[in-house]
Amino acid sequence: MMGALVIGGGPAGLMAADALLSAGHPVVLADAKPSLGRKLLMAGKSGLNLTKAEPFAAFLGNYGAAAPALRPMLSAFPPEEVMHWAEGLGQTLFTGSTGRVFPHGMKASPLLRAWLARLDGMGLERHTRWRWTGWDGEAVLMETPEGARRLTPGVTVLALGGASWARLGSDGQWAAIFQGAGLPVTPFAPANAGLCVDWSAHMKAQFGAPLKGVAFHAGDLASRGEAVISARGLEGGGLYPLSPALRAGAALTVDLCPDVDLAALTRRLARPRGKQSLSNHLRKVVKLSPAARALLMECARPLPEEPAALAALLKALPVQHVGLRPLDEAISVAGGVPLGALDAGLMLKDRPGTFVAGEMLDWEAPTGGYLLTGCLATGLWAGRAAAARLAAAPPPDH
């Protein structure tokens, strides 16, 4: 029997391997792709957002319904510990004005290289192009370039990702293996995804334009942040936190003037406009950007002339949409292994010795450092629990 097997070479899998190696256990890490950390590297192309520096209660609240279950893991590896960990890998960090934490170099590749060098130095045995195909009794089945292999690890940590960005490795094919083994899987659904809007031809001039200084509302959720008008609808970090409500079919409204209350906005709009067009009046007295004015005209023309009615519209502009973008285009997913199917150490109740971490788990969080911290924290937690199980196991018979 070998020591530990970790399947999946993203942040959760690497953190689980780190925890196991740190506890003195030999680890084999397998990944189906030709190289490790592909989704992490892609995330780093626009600036690697490691975590979010904010009070823990506010941080935890961004994990929604899964927050109570994830609290122990996130408490054990909160944002300040994520920062210390990255600094320990030689990364100098800075915190932006919104609390988001980045490496000074912005990219993921230096951190990943340093991390893999650390793990290699600890004795990690890693294999790429090894795809997990299921179980045969206690054996873990792998398809490798050298053919099929049967492994019998003391513990297994599964960190195979969700079902978005399949080309980077998170293809969700593991769900069929789980279902075939009688293990529960909550169906996947897009999270942190763009919103599909059927624009008229008038909006073409705004494609690529940002909507700044606005607030988005859907159901009970609200978000301040930027979104971009695209040919297919709206996308961006300001919109992504609304994914749970939008996925459930909630209407979207946009507050184009979130820093001005309704009464003050009504007074501004009541100013005489003379011979100015309504569009120019809005530009001058409300200071709407061209993109915001275009959105207003697209969604609410003909505009009401009465100041109070127009002000109410500016504070809650309805944007008709046809749902979120497809699953594989989402940044992350909802769905996966229900947390109720796992024990306190993230071990499958129905398959002792097998642990699950990262985006395989049924939780979701917005972008802004929450996703990556969640993956790291659950990987560390599962790795430590797996290490404790190995340490408690009786020695193999000779």
Side-chain angles (χ1 to χ4, degrees), residues 256-257 260 264-315 317:
L256 297 175
C257 307
V260 185
L265 189 57
T266 301
R267 287 194 298 271
R268 288 189 193 183
L269 292 169
R271 294 173 189 170
R273 77 171 197 246
K275 295 182 179 180
Q276 290 184 104
S277 68
L278 184 53
S279 180
N280 270 338
H281 187 56
L282 288 168
R283 177 177 60 82
K284 290 184 177 181
V285 302
V286 186
K287 304 194 184 309
L288 288 186
S289 68
R293 294 200 308 274
L295 185 68
L296 177 65
M297 296 297 183
E298 172 76 7
C299 298
R301 193 169 11 190
L303 301 181
E305 293 282 343
E306 201 274 316
L310 182 55
L313 189 60
L314 292 170
K315 295 295 290 179
L317 176 68

Side-chain angles (χ1 to χ4, degrees), residues 196-283:
C196 296
V197 182
D198 293 329
W199 303 122
S200 72
H202 298 290
M203 287 295 285
K204 187 173 183 180
Q206 301 300 325
F207 293 168
L211 280 170
K212 297 182 178 183
V214 302
F216 299 95
H217 299 264
D220 294 330
L221 302 179
S223 174
R224 285 287 297 265
E226 185 175 317
V228 173
I229 299 170
S230 73
R232 297 173 63 184
L234 291 168
E235 54 192 88
L239 196 65
Y240 295 155
L242 306 186
S243 289
L246 294 170
R247 190 171 60 236
L252 174 68
T253 61
V254 183
D255 184 346
L256 297 175
C257 307
D259 297 318
V260 185
D261 66 32
L262 183 62
L265 189 57
T266 301
R267 287 194 298 271
R268 288 189 193 183
L269 292 169
R271 294 173 189 170
R273 77 171 197 246
K275 295 182 179 180
Q276 290 184 104
S277 68
L278 184 53
S279 180
N280 270 338
H281 187 56
L282 288 168
R283 177 177 60 82

Side-chain angles (χ1 to χ4, degrees), residues 56 59-60 70-81 377 381:
F56 184 73
F59 185 84
L60 182 66
L70 294 178
R71 176 188 282 274
M73 298 138 219
L74 294 166
S75 296
F77 201 59
E80 56 269 26
E81 289 300 320
W381 190 266

Side-chain angles (χ1 to χ4, degrees), residues 119-130:
L119 296 174
D120 289 343
M122 295 167 74
L124 178 66
E125 178 186 335
R126 51 184 166 115
H127 299 275
T128 54
R129 298 186 173 90
W130 279 32

Side-chain angles (χ1 to χ4, degrees), residues 36 42 70 142 150 155 236 257 264 267 306 356 358 374 379 383 390:
L36 305 182
M42 177 62 76
L70 294 178
M142 304 295 296
R150 295 169 57 90
V155 293
C257 307
R267 287 194 298 271
E306 201 274 316
V356 184
L390 279 178

